[in-house]
Amino acid sequence: MALTVPVITIDGPAASGKGTIAERVARELGFHYLDSGALYRLTAVAALRAKADFNDPAALEAVALGLAPEFRDSRVWLAGEDVSAAIRTEEAGVAASRVAAVPGVRKALFDLQRNAARAPGLVADGRDMGTVVFPEAPLKVFMTASAAVRAERRALQLEARGEKADREALRRDLEERDRRDRERATAPLVAAADARELDTSEMPIDEVVKKVLEWWRLAS
Ligand code: CDP
């Protein structure tokens, strides 16, 4: 599968800052941005709404196949309901990591993700962007940060939205998700062999964006 447009992949564990960096890099380059995690979060929320059995892979696959999100006015809607806030809760993140372990769900979402590679280019963030969805990408970044830093970043995000954040509980949830994402048989969370790894624990956002853009200049 040859790529017809340039793609940068940014993978890594939960709350490592991938989304913020991917969006900023996309803006700098005038590229499109794919938040692949949002598709797993949407599948999870749709499955919860449909009261699907989370232990039944076929039921979860059916939800993913029937997924018809509408993106309007920077918000996302499912069956007429604005679920923009619902998909961003930690509960939805944990549920997303459960549906994401189902091979049929990943297969159902594959084409949606590949189709996001449009001119002039794409920055895609997730867990398997560099290993499975865009293995031919010329620049792959694997972004990490310590569990404490990641829990703090997620807490600040929640607090910025006016929500309360329990840092200890967040850290437990993130670590549970990471474990499930790393240990699953299909498309586990792992750096691609040719990915550039970046520990952002001590790095401010601007510096990370600069680093990725520098790598891009060298790769493109
Ligand atoms: O933003 P955060 O890092 O907390 O999570 P996310 O990127 O929105 O992803 C939520 C969950 O979806 C992850 O824990 C993964 O289980 C799953 N996911 C995946 O399996 N593959 C992707 N490409 C993206 C997300």
Side-chain angles (χ1 to χ4, degrees):
M1 265 182 315
L3 279 172
T4 50
V5 301
V7 174
I8 300 174
T9 63
I10 304 185
D11 290 303
S16 50
K18 306 173 302 284
T20 308
I21 301 305
E23 245 187 306
R24 286 272 304 268
V25 169
R27 206 181 321 135
E28 292 283 338
L29 297 172
F31 284 9
H32 299 284
Y33 164 53
L34 170 67
D35 170 8
S36 64
L39 297 175
Y40 292 94
R41 287 170 178 268
L42 280 165
T43 305
V45 168
L48 289 168
R49 297 283 197 273
K51 300 201 169 22
D53 179 357
F54 271 65
N55 293 311
D56 178 357
L60 296 175
E61 181 180 349
V63 171
L65 281 168
L67 200 68
E70 287 172 59
F71 298 91
R72 256 189 281 130
D73 312 324
S74 317
R75 309 201 66 81
V76 54
W77 308 72
L78 273 184
E81 186 194 351
D82 181 352
V83 292
S84 320
I87 64 167
R88 290 297 153 201
T89 63
E90 240 348 268
E91 186 200 5
V94 173
S97 81
R98 294 191 62 191
V99 305
V102 176
V105 168
R106 306 199 71 84
K107 192 160 165 271
L109 300 179
F110 184 83
D111 287 345
L112 274 177
Q113 299 172 76
R114 283 291 297 190
N115 289 338
R118 303 237 159 114
L122 179 73
V123 184
D125 94 65
R127 303 293 184 287
D128 61 342
M129 296 297 97
T131 49
V132 175
V133 181
F134 299 109
E136 336 83 308
L139 175 61
K140 301 174 185 177
V141 179
F142 194 80
M143 203 169 275
T144 60
S146 72
V149 166
R150 294 187 289 117
E152 182 61 27
R153 286 179 183 167
R154 184 53 38 98
L156 292 175
Q157 257 177 358
L158 294 173
E159 285 166 356
R161 294 204 298 260
E163 292 168 37
K164 279 228 260 319
D166 172 344
R167 283 156 170 77
E168 265 315 298
L170 275 172
R171 181 171 173 162
R172 274 197 306 277
D173 280 354
L174 296 180
E175 288 182 320
E176 178 197 333
R177 258 199 303 143
D178 290 347
R179 187 176 36 75
R180 203 180 355 253
D181 291 348
R182 284 203 168 93
E183 291 176 359
R184 70 183 174 219
T186 308
L189 167 65
V190 63
D194 53 349
R196 291 176 181 267
E197 297 200 30
L198 191 61
D199 183 337
T200 68
S201 304
E202 311 280 334
M203 289 173 80
I205 293 170
D206 283 350
E207 212 178 294
V208 182
V209 171
K210 226 171 95 193
K211 187 86 220 159
V212 175
L213 289 172
E214 193 182 303
W215 282 339
W216 179 242
R217 274 192 295 276
L218 295 173
S220 61

